[in-house]
Amino acid sequence: WLAFGVIKIHAYNVESYALPGRMDLFSRLIVFVEKWERELQNICVPFFFIISGYLFFRTFEMKKIFYKYRTRVRTILIPYIIWCSIYYIYLCLLSHIPQIGPYINNGEAIPFALSTWVDWVGNNSYYTLWFLKDLILLIIFTPVIYVFLKNHQKFPSGFVVIIALLITPIVFRNKIDIDVNSLVLYCCGAYVGINHKEIPKIQQKWLMSGARIIVIIFLLVNMLFIDEGIFSNIYAQIVMCISLWYAVKSDFFVHDLQWWYAISFYIYCIHDIFLEAIEKLFFIIFGNGSIFALMDYLLAPVITVILCVLSAAILKKYCPVIWGVLTGGR
């Protein structure tokens, strides 16, 4: 569901269809709905970082550091390089097609060059893959994160560090060029994984009821203050992620889910290839009418998920080696 939410974020199209400048009620309603949903979906990637931090550290010990590094080379680093390369070649080809080129990279053809590819992978990675690059950096600093976040018996030093980290988005706002939010979110999950790994498994009725009330309040506040960017705030994101976790009465640690529930990494990585193509076709075929903007926003993500699942099924069955490389052996 978080992967589907990310697709919906990238399906946001009110500017593409020039809807904000229109005064008719239908266009304004579409803008409102897309803005409301987009804000809600802004918790998807923060949730990903929190879960990643928790899962990485809940079984971690310092003696496992080199084993963790080896496994993450296979599951994160290699897929990151491959997916960056796929998107680079894909967009290079599209940008050189006369009928499509004007819609790609602001109309500028992307050069086929080794230096461009190196810059693409190491610096300007495709925008949907930025979370993988951040995750790689966080994994590199695993020993530091573990030492600082681990509580000691006589003093909860890790808790103190988490409080300090939660202040950093305020202290460093507009003062540094890097985004500290992914670090803070990942470390919140890591802190729980290191010191309180049983907390996410708690299922109490009072906790579920309270969490659902908080979720409903946030949804209403987001509706009333649609232009305020409620879920662009890291603290609102954290509260909403925690509340959603407990609001859903389910066992998140089961191992017998349908196979297509386990391809979220693949969906995160590949969805934009399908989504961009579908949205461009919508726009070229139907034009920029408000009704088509709504159709695009509602249908393109669903079609994209269907294509992701179908392509995953084909790769898993007929090209298992390629599937294993693309998904890091997941």
Side-chain angles (χ1 to χ4, degrees):
W1 287 105
L2 295 180
F4 182 72
V6 169
I7 296 174
K8 290 282 283 183
I9 291 174
H10 296 150
Y12 182 79
N13 60 16
V14 297
E15 277 84 18
S16 299
Y17 284 84
L19 297 183
R22 303 181 189 182
M23 300 306 296
D24 62 285
L25 182 61
F26 186 64
S27 296
R28 292 166 66 184
L29 179 62
I30 295 172
V31 171
F32 178 85
V33 170
E34 290 202 26
K35 279 187 175 181
W36 183 81
E37 280 201 12
R38 190 185 195 187
E39 276 303 307
L40 177 60
Q41 290 145 7
N42 275 340
I43 70 164
C44 292
V45 175
F47 216 152
F48 163 81
F49 277 113
I50 292 173
I51 292 173
S52 295
Y54 172 76
L55 293 178
F56 185 93
F57 281 97
R58 67 174 178 158
T59 59
F60 180 78
E61 298 175 33
M62 194 63 79
K63 63 183 180 181
K64 294 183 177 180
I65 182 63
F66 293 110
Y67 167 76
K68 286 282 191 179
Y69 280 152
R70 287 199 305 273
T71 58
R72 266 47 184 190
V73 166
R74 178 171 61 93
T75 60
I76 301 293
L77 180 59
I78 292 176
Y80 168 75
I81 295 172
I82 290 173
W83 282 109
C84 281
S85 302
I86 289 172
Y87 275 106
Y88 170 66
I89 295 170
Y90 174 67
L91 290 179
C92 274
L93 292 173
L94 291 183
S95 70
H96 285 84
I97 299 175
Q99 293 82 1
I100 302 176
Y103 300 98
I104 304 296
N105 196 40
N106 296 321
E108 297 182 11
I110 301 172
F112 286 99
L114 179 61
S115 58
T116 306
W117 173 80
V118 171
D119 182 62
W120 190 277
V121 173
N123 183 29
N124 297 316
S125 57
Y126 193 59
Y127 72 96
T128 63
L129 301 176
W130 70 268
F131 73 92
L132 275 183
K133 185 165 65 174
D134 278 20
L135 189 58
I136 290 168
L137 292 174
L138 291 167
I139 291 170
I140 290 173
F141 288 99
T142 291
V144 177
I145 293 173
Y146 181 76
V147 168
F148 276 93
L149 293 185
K150 185 174 178 58
N151 282 335
H152 297 284
Q153 291 183 350
K154 295 183 179 180
F155 183 70
S157 54
F159 180 73
V160 174
V161 173
I162 280 294
I163 297 300
L165 281 171
L166 287 170
I167 298 173
T168 56
I170 299 174
V171 175
F172 292 106
R173 182 183 299 170
N174 301 324
K175 294 182 180 180
I176 57 176
D177 294 329
I178 62 172
D179 181 12
V180 299
N181 286 9
S182 55
L183 169 66
V184 175
L185 293 161
Y186 183 82
C187 285
C188 284
Y191 172 79
V192 176
I194 295 169
N195 302 291
H196 307 287
K197 54 178 63 70
E198 297 302 317
I199 286 180
K201 299 181 181 181
I202 297 173
Q203 293 192 36
Q204 298 288 342
K205 287 186 177 180
W206 64 267
L207 184 59
M208 183 177 66
S209 299
R212 289 178 176 177
I213 292 172
I214 293 173
V215 169
I216 292 171
I217 290 172
F218 266 104
L219 294 180
L220 292 174
V221 170
N222 183 36
M223 186 178 293
L224 294 173
F225 301 95
I226 192 69
D227 293 319
E228 300 301 320
I230 301 298
F231 295 117
S232 298
N233 182 289
I234 186 174
Y235 307 110
Q237 290 171 351
I238 292 172
V239 173
M240 189 63 168
C241 287
I242 295 171
S243 300
L244 273 176
W245 180 273
Y246 290 113
V248 180
K249 187 178 181 181
S250 177
D251 185 355
F252 286 94
F253 295 90
V254 296
H255 298 284
D256 57 350
L257 294 170
Q258 295 291 330
W259 70 269
W260 46 270
Y261 259 94
I263 64 168
S264 58
F265 179 85
Y266 176 75
I267 293 175
Y268 268 114
C269 291
I270 200 173
H271 75 269
D272 213 46
I273 290 178
F274 297 128
L275 183 65
E276 283 291 325
I278 294 167
E279 288 198 306
K280 294 295 188 295
L281 285 173
F282 256 101
F283 195 80
I284 292 171
I285 295 173
F286 298 110
N288 65 346
S290 298
I291 184 65
F292 301 122
L294 181 61
M295 288 173 57
D296 180 352
Y297 183 70
L298 294 176
L299 294 178
V302 175
I303 297 171
T304 298
V305 168
I306 292 171
L307 292 175
C308 287
V309 174
L310 286 174
S311 62
I314 292 170
L315 286 171
K316 282 169 67 72
K317 183 174 182 178
Y318 298 105
C319 308
V321 175
I322 294 175
W323 170 258
V325 173
L326 290 176
T327 61
R330 287 170 177 78

